[in-house]
Amino acid sequence: MAKEKGLISPEDFAQLQQYMEYSTKKVSDVLKLFEDGDMNRFCQEDVIGYVGFEHFLKLYLEVDEVPHHLCWSLFWSFHASQSLEMTKSRGNVICLSDVSCYFSLLEGGRPEDKLEFTFKLYDSDRNGILDSSEVERIIHQMIRVAEYLDWDVSELRPILQEMMKEIDYDGSGSVSLAEWVRAGATTVPLLVLLGVDMTLKDDGVHMWRPKRFPRPVYCNLCELSIGLGKQGLSCNLCKYTVHDHCAMKAQPCEVSTYAKSRKDIGVSDPTPGSFPRCQPLVSVFIPSHTRPLPDKALPFSPKVQSHVWVRGGCDSGRCDRCQKKIRIYHSLTGLHCVWCHLEIHDDCLQAVGTECDCGPLRDHILPPSSIYPRVLASVPDRKLKTADDASLSTIDALRIDPVSNTHPLLVFVNPKSGGKQGQRVLWKFQYMLNPRQVYNLKNGPEQGLKFFRDVPQFRVLVCGGDGTVGWILESIDKANFPVVPPVAVLPLGTGNDLARCLRWGRGYEGENLGKILKDIETSKVVYLDRWLLEVTLQGNEKSDPVPSQIINNYFSIGVDASIAHQFHVMREKYPEKFNSRMKNKLWYLEFATSETIFSTCKKLEESLTVEICGKPLDLSDLSLEGIAVLNIPSTHGGSNLWGDIRRPQGDTSSINQALGSTAKIITDPDILKTSVPDMSDKRLEVVGIEGAIEMGQIYTKLKNAGHRLAKCSEITFRTTKTLPMQIDGEPWMQAPCTIKITYKNQMPMLMGPAPNSNNFFGFWS
Ligand SMILES: [Zn+2]
Ligand SMILES: [Zn+2]
Ligand SMILES: [Zn+2]
Ligand SMILES: [Zn+2]
């Protein structure tokens, strides 16, 4: 029997949502079966009993067996919101329409739908408002969820009570649906507190991955050897390592990614002694003069982070305390800290002390004491947003308050870039930093950007190809940050022209990530111009969609959209996209090269006119087969179409100043001869390409330059026939049109240290 009628436990809620994630069924599919399909026999005038409900769940969640307690507690929670008369007249049944209404709200996936779902669940008399006894039940449920999340609940009840008072916007003594939804979107993380959003429950759970070990390793649970070359499971976050068969009995993961109590975040407790629980992760200095204070001014005291030791995992084999070898004699030996990554002898533990400074990467790390549940923070913060700017995206449950003078790194990894390299990089960063700083781009960048929005001085690291970088820059641009964070690049895969120009290399090949993070620390901000490409079709010929409206790297028309090469690059870059659509497109384009590119692009000037900053560019003396517009001095994976410049010392803009080439528009060949490309001068370099052979030589690095035509800040192309084009390496066929390229804005990027600079830090192996 459900002990508390109408309340679904957080565990059940989490389980239900997991099932829903895996199921492909929609409520409407199942509803049909009950209304006039196979399941009709369980349904009488919109009413089903327990057995019918069980069938409903099985079909809806696509499982053979629904856990009994889940089915039971769901049934009774629906039953609790039934009218008394109904129970009297029909017995223990529930309304099918209620069930489907609730579930379809939950499957809607939008935060406001989910908020409505919870509202309906707790509005037990279904009068459209939550009265005081219903609100009491909600608070009760929130506390159960907080317990489930391991939060310190002793401090939560008064906060929740006050919060529920705030939700009653018009002070009527009861909460309407509108007030509820507004609160969920502006002030209170209702979805988390009611267990609908369970993303916070990751703490304490190991992130296993299968691993083979090149040296003897011992199981953290049974302490027996995991044979050399045999496979075991290793937690990605804490390096706790076990036999496959020991994983079920493993101790919980020691990596706690956020603080769960006020004292863990340095808020001194108004009533000392009310925290019976000991948090092993963070010990906090509480000043002795602490006394009860009004709620609105919670004092913050210095946060002190403790080491979190896990046995074994001493990969370096040397003790960071005494510098002697850590010998592994037939047993689990040594300790490593999951935050600062110190590796020490068991005997050196005393000497090391308890305080953890997060080690050499502290500038990038968000220690758990810097992330905490918003509801546990001081009251004024919950008023951060006003009802007027309610975007209904629901606020983050967690809040970041970084260690002062650090630059928390927000990492995005495209796991599909660079073969398996992407996945490996993701794992490594999850270990090196707080896993809450590292985002897999298969879920998009929005969540990470939102979470970091108000963090002062944060930096972004994008791990992927140029396409991924362009995507993140566009997302950052759209996010309208108060201060735009600078972006560093860890290039994965091939191509990577932008990363190359920013000195992050041509492609990651397993180098020391610790060193790369140290390089980011010393990197400097440069601004990258971004350009807007507007295409207006002439006539009504069909055309491929334009792959992007923004140019970060380069744009070209004609022979340079050299198709066979693109085919090659694309196959390396997006092997998974090489099924139907992309494949067809590229095969088609490859055709175009081999058979018709010569005739398509021959005498390009006859089907194309160019205007720079409003003036026509004279192409009559040239026989061009392609024109390229460059924002950065690298294309096609390292060719420089502008050509080398014997450049004097100094920064680019002062060189150009000295050479007299700072004009908005330059066409004089003598000035162009010495002009240096610059990614932040709000100008583009325009280059002509004389033929396919020349282009071939440029690709194969036999030749490094085209024919310099101009430098300018605005370009218009008009074409009279379909021509191959490409933008940042993405090719397409474009019907006759007008193309206008104008300056959009600049984004701050991080430029790696000069190649010869000697700043190696041997912290990492
Ligand atoms: Zn773990
Ligand atoms: Zn074992
Ligand atoms: Zn430590
Ligand atoms: Zn030692």
Side-chain angles (χ1 to χ4, degrees):
M1 214 26 215
K3 273 182 238 112
E4 290 150 299
K5 270 197 175 183
L7 294 183
I8 306 172
S9 77
E11 291 88 342
D12 286 338
F13 223 145
Q15 198 174 24
L16 173 67
Q17 288 177 80
Q18 246 161 25
Y19 276 122
M20 286 182 71
E21 217 169 278
Y22 287 106
S23 169
T24 56
K25 282 269 159 50
K26 294 260 162 270
V27 166
S28 50
D29 304 335
V30 185
L31 198 59
K32 266 197 208 97
L33 294 175
F34 277 84
E35 280 169 348
D36 42 44
D38 289 352
M39 294 290 140
N40 190 245
R41 64 201 146 98
F42 292 107
C43 176
Q44 286 172 334
E45 295 166 39
D46 191 38
V47 152
I48 52 173
Y50 185 77
V51 179
F53 181 67
E54 208 172 13
H55 281 288
F56 184 95
L57 275 190
K58 272 191 218 169
L59 289 166
Y60 181 47
L61 304 175
E62 291 183 302
V63 289
D64 297 333
E65 212 58 63
V66 183
H68 179 70
H69 63 92
L70 176 62
C71 188
W72 187 257
S73 58
L74 275 171
F75 181 82
W76 286 107
S77 70
F78 286 122
H79 189 265
S81 59
Q82 216 87 251
S83 71
L84 215 60
E85 287 131 64
M86 172 122 161
T87 311
K88 267 186 200 149
S89 62
R90 318 264 328 235
N92 288 334
V93 289
I94 56 178
C95 283
L96 190 58
S97 53
D98 281 356
V99 172
S100 39
C101 165
Y102 289 150
F103 279 131
S104 51
L105 281 174
L106 197 57
E107 86 186 4
R110 295 183 316 154
E112 56 267 48
D113 292 337
K114 291 182 174 179
L115 283 169
E116 196 174 331
F117 171 88
T118 53
F119 186 91
K120 295 201 163 176
L121 215 53
Y122 292 100
D123 178 20
S124 49
D125 54 6
R126 292 205 279 164
N127 63 352
I129 53 165
L130 301 173
D131 58 35
S132 57
S133 71
E134 286 161 345
V135 165
E136 221 11 79
R137 259 165 40 110
I138 287 174
I139 292 173
H140 182 62
Q141 174 71 347
M142 284 175 169
I143 287 178
R144 292 174 70 200
V145 172
E147 268 169 349
Y148 176 69
L149 291 171
D150 277 338
W151 293 3
D152 185 343
V153 294
S154 58
E155 58 204 33
L156 199 61
R157 187 178 282 272
I159 296 177
L160 292 180
Q161 262 151 357
E162 197 194 330
M163 212 171 71
M164 293 307 290
K165 243 183 264 160
E166 281 174 31
I167 289 180
D168 177 14
Y169 202 67
D170 61 4
S172 64
S174 57
V175 177
S176 69
L177 179 61
E179 284 170 337
W180 180 254
V181 172
R182 184 197 291 116
T186 54
T187 49
V188 190
L190 288 176
L191 292 178
V192 170
L193 288 169
L194 290 168
V196 183
D197 179 351
M198 271 296 165
T199 48
L200 298 188
K201 189 48 196 168
D202 300 340
D203 268 21
V205 181
H206 290 289
M207 191 187 279
W208 298 121
R209 71 176 159 120
K211 205 172 166 184
R212 282 177 201 286
F213 304 92
R215 57 184 165 271
V217 161
Y218 294 85
C219 175
N220 274 76
L221 185 81
C222 71
E223 309 215 356
L224 298 175
S225 162
I226 300 171
L228 212 62
K230 292 252 172 62
Q231 188 182 288
L233 292 172
S234 185
C235 171
N236 218 9
L237 309 178
C238 71
K239 285 200 198 169
Y240 186 95
T241 301
V242 289
H243 293 105
D244 290 358
H245 58 263
C246 289
M248 292 300 285
K249 289 171 277 174
Q251 284 140 24
C253 187
E254 290 284 355
V255 175
S256 181
T257 57
Y258 67 99
K260 290 161 183 132
S261 159
R262 278 189 177 182
K263 69 186 159 121
D264 292 347
I265 55 182
V267 179
S268 43
D269 168 29
T271 51
S274 69
F275 303 108
R277 269 214 247 189
C278 165
Q279 295 283 325
L281 187 56
V282 188
S283 66
V284 174
F285 167 73
I286 299 176
S288 55
H289 59 265
T290 308
R291 59 192 157 75
L293 280 154
D295 200 12
K296 308 241 170 207
L298 291 165
F300 278 74
S301 54
K303 296 173 242 184
V304 180
Q305 160 96 16
S306 295
H307 290 297
V308 178
W309 300 110
V310 172
R311 299 184 65 201
C314 298
D315 297 338
S316 73
R318 199 166 283 280
C319 174
D320 286 308
R321 163 74 198 167
C322 69
Q323 308 303 327
K324 292 192 188 119
K325 268 197 166 169
I326 300 175
R327 287 183 202 283
I328 298 172
Y329 286 123
H330 313 298
S331 67
L332 201 57
T333 320
L335 298 162
H336 74 274
C337 170
V338 297
W339 290 107
C340 66
H341 305 115
L342 277 184
E343 296 174 4
I344 57 163
H345 291 110
D346 302 59
D347 291 344
C348 289
L349 182 61
Q350 282 297 313
V352 169
T354 57
E355 193 179 324
C356 179
D357 67 355
C358 287
L361 302 179
R362 74 183 69 84
D363 189 41
H364 299 292
I365 293 180
L366 280 176
S369 53
S370 288
I371 307 179
Y372 49 86
R374 205 172 274 271
V375 294
L376 294 184
S378 55
V379 173
D381 175 63
R382 300 210 311 272
K383 290 280 188 193
L384 215 58
K385 284 196 197 171
T386 62
D388 300 333
D389 63 5
S391 56
L392 280 184
S393 58
T394 67
I395 56 157
D396 283 308
L398 294 178
R399 194 199 129 111
I400 300 174
D401 181 19
V403 178
S404 54
N405 296 320
T406 63
H407 303 81
L409 190 66
L410 169 59
V411 182
F412 291 113
V413 183
N414 189 339
K416 289 178 181 168
S417 299
K420 293 199 170 118
Q421 207 65 271
Q423 186 62 51
R424 258 182 242 136
V425 163
L426 181 72
W427 284 334
K428 283 189 185 167
F429 280 128
Q430 280 169 334
Y431 175 70
M432 294 167 81
L433 306 168
N434 189 323
R436 292 193 187 272
Q437 296 174 253
V438 185
Y439 287 80
N440 185 334
L441 280 175
K442 85 172 194 248
N443 308 316
E446 286 73 21
Q447 213 193 340
L449 291 173
K450 199 171 144 230
F451 187 38
F452 271 69
R453 186 174 179 88
D454 299 315
V455 176
Q457 298 195 299
F458 78 100
R459 301 185 183 115
V460 176
L461 172 62
V462 180
C463 309
D466 281 351
T468 312
V469 179
W471 175 25
I472 302 299
L473 289 181
E474 187 57 10
S475 307
I476 291 176
D477 195 14
K478 282 193 179 137
N480 259 320
F481 282 103
V483 180
V484 181
V487 177
V489 184
L490 180 70
L492 299 176
T494 55
N496 303 322
D497 289 304
L498 184 55
R500 219 177 272 253
C501 297
L502 293 167
R503 298 205 200 115
W504 297 113
R506 60 182 64 207
Y508 175 73
E509 285 172 343
E511 295 93 336
N512 182 330
L513 289 181
K515 159 142 177 24
I516 292 167
L517 291 183
K518 292 311 278 185
D519 284 346
I520 291 173
E521 236 173 90
T522 56
S523 62
K524 67 172 209 277
V525 175
V526 295
Y527 287 88
L528 173 72
D529 294 331
R530 296 170 80 236
W531 301 85
L532 194 65
L533 179 101
E534 289 165 288
V535 178
T536 320
L537 281 174
Q538 309 289 337
N540 25 9
E541 231 178 289
K542 281 233 171 203
S543 191
D544 287 354
V546 180
S548 166
Q549 266 75 54
I550 307 281
I551 305 170
N552 292 312
N553 297 1
Y554 59 93
F555 164 78
S556 71
I557 302 181
V559 65
D560 169 54
S562 169
I563 326 300
H565 177 78
Q566 274 312 322
F567 182 78
H568 174 73
V569 171
M570 297 300 278
R571 182 172 51 189
E572 281 201 10
K573 221 169 149 188
Y574 307 107
E576 82 287 355
K577 281 194 187 172
F578 266 68
N579 43 43
S580 61
R581 194 172 56 88
M582 202 66 172
K583 196 173 178 178
N584 296 345
K585 185 170 159 186
L586 287 160
W587 274 113
Y588 165 66
L589 287 171
E590 199 198 34
F591 250 120
T593 354
S594 46
E595 292 295 322
T596 53
I597 189 135
F598 295 103
S599 55
T600 314
C601 302
K602 204 100 218 137
K603 295 190 184 142
L604 192 65
E605 68 277 7
E606 287 177 5
S607 44
L608 173 82
T609 61
V610 187
E611 234 174 56
I612 52 170
C613 302
K615 289 184 199 145
L617 188 66
D618 183 13
L619 304 173
S620 57
D621 295 344
L622 306 156
S623 72
L624 296 182
E625 290 179 18
I627 288 188
V629 175
L630 315 174
N631 188 42
I632 58 170
S634 174
T635 52
H636 318 102
S639 317
N640 183 354
L641 282 176
W642 187 249
D644 288 328
I645 298 281
R646 191 178 298 233
R647 52 178 298 174
Q649 287 293 310
D651 70 275
T652 313
S653 75
S654 53
I655 296 167
N656 280 333
Q657 205 129 38
L659 294 169
S661 63
T662 51
K664 268 206 150 184
I665 167 166
I666 306 171
T667 48
D668 181 333
D670 288 331
I671 301 177
L672 288 175
K673 209 178 273 174
T674 55
S675 182
V676 183
D678 183 346
M679 65 173 78
S680 41
D681 64 352
K682 302 182 187 173
R683 290 182 299 178
L684 290 162
E685 283 78 32
V686 186
V687 176
I689 298 146
E690 279 169 337
I693 296 167
E694 185 187 36
M695 201 58 227
Q697 287 172 325
I698 289 170
Y699 283 133
T700 51
K701 314 267 157 67
L702 289 169
K703 200 163 181 270
N704 211 7
H707 185 100
R708 292 180 193 175
L709 296 175
K711 241 178 148 149
C712 60
S713 54
E714 206 180 295
I715 309 179
T716 308
F717 294 100
R718 287 188 183 84
T719 63
T720 52
K721 67 175 186 183
T722 297
L723 288 169
M725 301 191 182
Q726 65 170 320
I727 185 165
D728 291 0
E730 297 269 1
W732 82 104
M733 294 300 285
Q734 176 62 54
C737 68
T738 301
I739 293 176
K740 197 165 181 185
I741 300 174
T742 49
Y743 174 76
K744 180 174 166 64
N745 60 9
Q746 290 187 327
M747 293 296 274
M749 304 295 292
L750 289 166
M751 171 84 91
N756 56 352
S757 84
N758 188 16
N759 63 343
F760 180 77
F761 287 75
F763 291 120
W764 232 268
S765 59

